Amino acid sequence: MLSPRAYFAAVCFVLLTGCSRKPESSPAVSPDSPVAYSPNGWSGAERAEYYHLAEGSELMPYTLLANLKSSKTGKPFLEGMERFGFLPDAKSSTNPYGMPVGMTVVRSRNASARGVEMVGFSCAACHVGELTYHGKRVRIDGAPGLIDLEAYQVEFQESLDATMKDPPALLALVVAMDQKENMADSPSAEGVGQYAADAALQGADDVKPVPNADPSFHSVSSQAADAARPAAPQPGFRERMKTSVAFLKARLAHIRNGKLLLDGTEPGPGRIDAFGAARNLLFPKSAMKMQSPVSFPFLWGVPDTTQQRDANQEPRWIHYDGNTNSILERNIGQALGMGAVFDPQDYESTLRIGNLHRLEVLTHKLQPPAWPSGVLDPIDQAKAQKGEAIFKDKCEGCHQDKLCALAEVMTDPMRANSFGQPVGGKPFPAAVAPILAGLKKRAFQDDGISEADQAGMDANPVVWRATGQYKARKLNGIWATAPYLHNGSVPTLYHMLHPDERPARFFVGNREYDAAKAGYQSETAGASGNSWVYDTTKPGNSNVGHRGAQFGTTLAEDQKAELLEYLKKY
């Protein structure tokens, strides 16, 4: 069983109240129905690798998640993960437990948990999309996902809370975890009653939130972690039960410490306020309301920032506001947000830096997806040809991966303005940069990455900055990236061109595609249980801007239709 030693678990999920769910009305498409993969850059082996390659996220033991019952469904928590927007994936050599796309299981780098299989998340959870159309499914690697990380975390906390408050349920969970590890003396159904009155099970939910700091944390290398096996179990189920309950209480205490993340704008499916969460977790004294959620970005066309070798080269910027040239450090931050464990003093961590770089290499192989004419209605080529000239006149000049001033684009300013807000008297970029650099340096050292190899894994020098602007990315494959604008406030490309028709409230989470408007259906809820109502009146959710003659919204209707048709093939 896992030691009860506390983790510094940087779990940057937003713990808010339940989402605005509505009755489903779109027809269900079975998750077991065949899926067609968009051929946009990966082989089958590369796809399987990307879907489940661990980046260092260590949220909880697999035995816990595999045996926990959902307080909402009454079923095993891992059953029906589509309710959170996760995509199912079959068992394979890279996915031995049949986890959803983007969920990983790997042996812990935490020295106190050597050999224990830990569940985490990776890039694929947020950056693999799927659409449905008349009963058919199309998987698009690199497209924005529709998972609701907040709903997942809230239900997990509520489920663990409910279990810890109920001694019989807690005992059943501990027994199931014990049996999962093939303990010979795990009690049978008939013999479990002798432990029901044990003091360890009483008041197990009576834990207070604790800071996510563990000065005693130590890590082992990734190679040593992979080779390790669990330590010899304690003799006797009663002692193992006490250890397990102590560990579960420690996890609950850390989860409850998420109160710093409670206030702000609900992200819903396909969005996250990652930097707001990072600020509040790493710098709690400078915590702010989280009101800058953004959509998961598409990955094709992401620049290879490792090509920058000295300060004289022009940096290649990433993110909606072009705030850094380091994909590696950005992904280190992502791993922290998804549960990587680290010591804030000496930067030991559970990061798997080689895997993070490998995920980046695979990302650069992605190409924009072609419109799936075998599934969706075919493109009107004559109309698209006319739209090309309009695109070159109205769109192409700005959408060249360059920054645009807020005064020019006039979209919701929250994300652009929030990143640079100060912590401890210095701008957030200046405060977070040394932490990410320290984690990177220590991860290289712990996993024996040579200086020569390090030089090819990141930009040099790394820059973090606050721009107060938004980056206009190239629009290749834009048809597959709904909803639109940085905050996902516009449901379809049709609505981008018709700003007066942009809905104030609409459904997000329905995968059924609207081929005419180029986006997901937003007037009805989906059948997966992942639908949520987007409210543009909330802070950070505005759908204003990107309108006027220079943005093509004053074109004649036939010209708008031609431009829209071209965007399907661009």
Side-chain angles (χ1 to χ4, degrees):
M1 287 293 179
L2 190 63
S3 164
R5 178 182 295 178
Y7 285 177
F8 189 107
V11 184
C12 296
F13 290 126
V14 190
L15 302 179
L16 300 176
T17 58
C19 298
S20 305
R21 306 289 166 174
K22 298 294 181 182
E24 286 76 26
S25 56
S26 290
V29 176
S30 171
D32 297 323
S33 62
V35 59
Y37 291 88
S38 176
N40 61 317
W42 285 342
S43 67
E46 289 170 332
R47 178 179 297 113
E49 181 183 14
Y50 189 88
Y51 280 9
H52 301 287
L53 188 62
E55 60 184 26
S57 168
E58 295 190 7
L59 286 166
M60 68 204 73
Y62 172 73
T63 55
L64 168 58
L65 192 61
N67 291 286
L68 184 68
K69 283 189 177 181
S70 166
S71 59
K72 287 191 174 181
T73 69
K75 300 177 181 179
F77 191 90
L78 281 174
E79 185 175 317
M81 293 289 281
E82 295 83 4
R83 70 189 185 277
F84 305 120
F86 286 97
L87 297 171
D89 201 21
K91 289 184 178 181
S92 67
S93 59
T94 60
N95 187 28
Y97 295 117
M99 301 293 276
V101 171
M103 294 191 75
T104 64
V105 180
V106 70
R107 296 194 185 277
S108 179
R109 283 197 61 200
N110 190 324
S112 68
R114 292 188 67 167
V116 175
E117 291 183 313
M118 300 293 289
V119 173
F121 291 110
S122 74
C123 304
C126 302
H127 300 290
V128 174
E130 183 173 297
L131 63 84
T132 63
Y133 192 70
H134 297 175
K136 297 181 179 180
R137 300 164 60 204
V138 179
R139 183 77 54 84
I140 306 171
D141 297 321
L146 287 175
I147 65 168
D148 191 334
L149 290 171
E150 175 190 283
Y152 166 88
Q153 182 68 359
V154 167
E155 187 172 321
F156 176 78
Q157 180 188 9
E158 290 176 348
S159 300
L160 186 55
D161 260 325
T163 301
M164 299 293 281
K165 291 177 182 177
D166 183 351
L170 177 56
L171 178 57
L173 173 62
V174 172
V175 170
M177 293 172 63
D178 201 65
Q179 291 175 344
K180 195 79 174 181
E181 296 181 359
N182 299 313
M183 297 294 106
D185 59 346
S186 293
S188 64
E190 295 76 20
V192 74
Q194 62 181 300
Y195 303 101
D198 195 287
L201 301 172
Q202 313 305 314
D205 68 314
D206 185 19
V207 297
K208 296 180 180 180
V210 297
N212 293 338
D214 181 10
S216 65
F217 168 76
H218 293 292
S219 63
V220 298
S221 71
S222 298
Q223 298 88 338
D226 292 338
R229 291 299 178 266
Q234 293 172 287
F237 172 75
R238 192 178 298 276
E239 292 305 311
R240 295 197 304 273
M241 178 185 70
K242 293 178 181 178
T243 298
S244 293
V245 171
F247 163 72
L248 292 174
K249 291 175 71 172
R251 295 308 304 145
L252 185 60
H254 287 309
I255 291 171
R256 287 181 176 174
N257 194 57
K259 65 183 181 180
L260 289 175
L261 313 179
L262 281 169
D263 201 3
T265 299
E266 188 177 359
R271 299 200 308 167
I272 193 169
D273 186 354
F275 288 113
R279 169 195 297 272
N280 291 356
L281 187 70
L282 297 173
F283 308 104
K285 293 182 179 180
S286 300
M288 296 172 55
K289 287 186 177 182
M290 293 175 55
Q291 297 179 330
S292 305
V294 296
S295 293
F296 305 142
F298 59 93
L299 295 187
W300 52 86
V302 169
D304 184 356
T305 63
T306 66
Q307 298 305 306
Q308 183 183 349
R309 291 289 187 265
D310 60 64
N312 295 320
Q313 291 179 268
E314 178 64 25
R316 302 181 181 190
W317 305 106
I318 61 170
H319 286 147
Y320 283 108
D321 55 346
N323 62 10
T324 187
N325 64 339
S326 175
I327 295 177
L328 185 60
E329 288 193 8
R330 179 262 171 221
N331 287 343
I332 288 172
Q334 170 188 295
L336 298 184
M338 293 298 184
V341 183
F342 79 103
D343 184 327
Q345 301 301 318
D346 65 10
Y347 299 123
E348 281 190 272
S349 75
T350 61
L351 291 168
R352 291 176 174 257
I353 196 93
N355 287 2
L356 284 170
H357 178 63
R358 175 61 180 165
L359 290 165
E360 182 180 342
V361 169
L362 290 172
T363 294
H364 292 313
K365 300 187 74 171
L366 287 170
Q367 299 298 316
W371 180 267
S373 297
V375 175
L376 302 178
D377 299 334
I379 294 172
D380 185 327
Q381 297 296 337
K383 186 182 291 187
Q385 185 175 4
K386 294 179 181 178
E388 182 175 5
I390 301 171
F391 175 83
K392 292 183 179 299
D393 179 47
K394 296 294 184 181
C395 311
E396 191 172 53
C398 284
H399 284 278
Q400 293 293 329
D401 291 336
K402 67 180 186 180
L403 289 173
C404 296
L406 286 174
E408 177 184 359
V409 71
M410 297 295 289
T411 50
D412 190 295
M414 292 294 288
R415 173 64 181 83
N417 290 335
S418 65
F419 184 72
Q421 294 301 308
V423 294
K426 64 175 64 174
F428 177 70
V432 77
I435 297 175
L436 297 175
L439 287 162
K440 179 177 65 176
K441 180 179 179 180
R442 182 60 186 259
F444 280 144
Q445 173 187 324
D446 288 349
D447 276 355
I449 308 295
S450 70
E451 290 188 5
D453 287 340
Q454 291 177 35
M457 295 171 71
D458 205 359
N460 183 23
V462 169
V463 179
W464 286 88
R465 63 179 187 170
T467 67
Q469 302 180 75
Y470 288 124
K471 182 179 176 182
R473 295 186 65 185
K474 294 182 179 180
L475 297 179
N476 308 80
I478 195 66
W479 66 269
T481 67
Y484 297 99
L485 295 183
H486 70 280
N487 58 1
S489 59
V490 180
T492 71
L493 288 177
Y494 172 90
H495 291 104
M496 286 295 299
L497 294 172
H498 296 81
D500 291 337
E501 298 182 41
R502 295 175 187 173
R505 301 175 83 244
F506 60 93
F507 285 106
V508 178
N510 189 346
R511 295 190 187 280
E512 188 69 9
Y513 198 76
D514 186 331
K517 293 183 177 179
Y520 294 110
Q521 288 189 7
S522 58
E523 297 177 359
T524 58
S528 67
N530 189 43
S531 291
W532 170 83
V533 177
Y534 190 111
D535 186 348
T536 61
T537 68
K538 301 296 184 182
N541 281 3
S542 175
N543 62 7
V544 299
H546 204 279
R547 65 184 297 165
Q550 71 270 39
F551 299 105
T553 64
T554 61
L555 292 167
E557 284 303 309
D558 59 340
Q559 291 178 304
K560 289 181 180 180
E562 290 161 358
L563 175 57
L564 180 57
E565 204 70 10
Y566 178 70
L567 289 172
K568 295 177 183 178
K569 66 176 292 184
Y570 181 65

